[in-house]
Amino acid sequence: MKIGAVPSSMLDDIDFKLPAEPLYNKRILKGKRLKSPKVFTGCAKWGRREWIGILYPQGTKENQYLQEYIKNFNSIELNATHYKIYDETTIRRWGEKARGQDFVFCPKVPQAISHYSSLVNAGVRTTDFLDGMLNFGKHLGPIFLQLSDKFSPNRRQQLYEYIADLPRDLQFFVEVRHPQWFEDETIRMELFNTLAKHRVGAVITDTPGRRELLHMHLTVPIAFIRFNANNLHPTDFTRIDDWMHRLKYWIDHGLKQAYFFLHMPDEKYTPELGRYLAEQVQHVIGIEIKKPQFIKS
């Protein structure tokens, strides 16, 4: 995830503190911790050759990457579906690899819909995409729509009409990137209110050079965070520490689920940060999740 990337020399000069808790979230969170809240962590891809000898055993073949990934994380932000339409057999096969595991796939809406159609007359393509994703079965997590950074609020009615037609039995999230969504308070709150009306979540993006994307608003009692790290720079760890306390606050006040996805310029460093994240989820929030297990040399 390159959005908001900055040179490492600038990182110490950025205020990474999370924004104050919006009063808006009191509309969404009921104020009491649920009996079994869940936290899911993961990355955007499982096909990482650089993880061989780190997470994946030597000799792991490409068609074995997913089953090895599932041993180390409990979810994936499935960017693959953004760039290619996969047939039902492939989706079903991926889902089968997670059988018996507490693991979910969070597919990204194809760019043919999100970027190239402007969300106009996209109903048929969306239905076809969702029909395919249903083959994940119980391993299907939230589906997220990432809009182009050129999709400005001038086209917001297209977005609002599109999400109004989405099926209510699936959980969707939306990520907007154009700066004007956040510059105008009226437009920003209109967006959150519309998402909440249709029970669609708002993706929260934590990236160094675009701090306005860190809006912290919950439009459903589920959080979906995309975290852009910086190759184990010290700020990666302090930022995660800050996030753990916010997630604990949300969970203590009724958040049902949290999805926290790591992005890294050099993905060979992701497993170490992923393990730290999982340890902090257990230490701070009190929820035990899968931790990346390093290959012993």
Side-chain angles (χ1 to χ4, degrees):
M1 184 172 66
K2 296 181 180 179
I3 186 170
V6 301
S8 58
S9 60
M10 295 177 58
L11 293 173
D12 288 328
D13 297 324
I14 296 174
D15 181 3
F16 281 112
K17 185 177 180 181
L18 294 179
E21 177 69 4
L23 291 175
Y24 185 95
N25 291 349
K26 289 186 176 181
R27 307 183 195 180
I28 306 300
L29 302 178
K30 302 305 180 183
K32 182 179 179 181
R33 185 169 176 134
L34 301 177
K35 184 177 180 180
S36 300
K38 305 194 77 171
V39 176
F40 295 90
T41 66
C43 311
K45 297 179 181 178
W46 61 71
R48 295 293 183 185
R49 293 182 180 179
E50 59 264 53
W51 291 352
I52 292 179
I54 299 175
L55 286 188
Y56 303 166
Q58 293 290 346
T60 300
K61 295 180 171 54
E62 188 171 342
N63 63 1
Q64 299 172 319
Y65 286 171
L66 175 55
Q67 64 196 55
E68 294 299 327
Y69 177 93
I70 291 172
K71 295 176 183 178
N72 292 281
F73 299 98
N74 63 358
S75 64
I76 186 163
E77 180 196 293
L78 191 55
N79 274 353
T81 56
H82 187 61
Y83 301 104
K84 179 180 176 180
I85 303 297
Y86 291 88
D87 59 73
E88 294 181 2
T89 300
T90 298
I91 300 300
R92 193 176 301 113
R93 185 171 68 248
W94 289 347
E96 283 293 316
K97 290 182 182 289
R99 180 187 290 183
Q101 299 289 320
D102 185 14
F103 184 93
V104 295
F105 298 83
C106 300
K108 192 173 181 179
V109 172
Q111 60 185 352
I113 297 170
S114 61
H115 286 53
Y116 304 140
S117 76
S118 296
L119 305 181
V120 176
N121 298 322
V124 173
R125 276 178 289 186
T126 299
T127 297
D128 290 344
F129 166 68
L130 296 178
D131 284 347
M133 295 305 101
L134 292 176
N135 286 279
F136 279 126
K138 66 180 182 179
H139 298 291
L140 176 62
I143 299 162
F144 80 105
L145 171 71
Q146 179 193 85
L147 295 176
S148 163
D149 55 7
K150 297 179 180 178
F151 194 102
S152 78
N154 293 334
R155 292 190 277 172
R156 61 188 182 276
Q157 289 306 319
Q158 295 165 214
L159 171 62
Y160 298 162
E161 291 172 8
Y162 180 80
I163 64 174
D165 288 336
L166 292 173
R168 293 296 184 95
D169 59 339
L170 297 174
Q171 181 62 63
F172 294 89
F173 278 79
V174 171
E175 180 184 36
V176 294
R177 293 180 160 203
H178 194 287
Q180 288 180 2
W181 286 103
F182 305 97
E183 292 170 354
D184 187 314
E185 179 71 7
T186 300
I187 289 175
R188 190 167 70 113
M189 296 313 300
E190 178 189 272
L191 170 66
F192 295 142
N193 288 332
T194 303
L195 293 178
K197 174 183 176 182
H198 296 292
R199 290 181 287 180
V200 172
V203 171
I204 300 171
T205 304
D206 186 347
T207 188
R210 291 287 306 277
R211 303 310 286 167
E212 78 278 10
L213 301 179
L214 194 63
H215 56 78
M216 307 305 287
H217 283 70
L218 300 171
T219 57
V220 293
I222 304 172
F224 193 115
I225 298 122
R226 306 184 78 222
F227 183 89
N228 194 359
N230 295 283
N231 296 339
L232 305 182
H233 187 274
T235 56
D236 290 347
F237 299 93
T238 56
R239 289 164 65 198
I240 283 181
D241 291 345
D242 201 6
W243 263 113
M244 292 303 98
H245 292 289
R246 184 61 60 93
L247 287 179
K248 182 180 187 302
Y249 176 85
W250 285 347
I251 287 172
D252 285 347
H253 287 79
L255 192 76
K256 295 179 180 179
Q257 298 172 356
Y259 295 82
F260 198 102
F261 293 110
L262 298 173
H263 295 258
M264 193 82 74
D266 187 340
E267 293 290 351
K268 73 180 180 184
Y269 297 111
T270 306
E272 184 174 338
L273 192 62
R275 185 172 181 84
Y276 182 79
L277 171 60
E279 290 172 345
Q280 292 304 101
V281 168
Q282 182 173 359
H283 176 68
V284 177
I285 305 175
I287 296 176
E288 186 173 0
I289 62 173
K290 288 181 184 175
K291 299 179 180 69
Q293 302 296 315
F294 301 126
I295 300 298
K296 296 181 180 179
S297 57

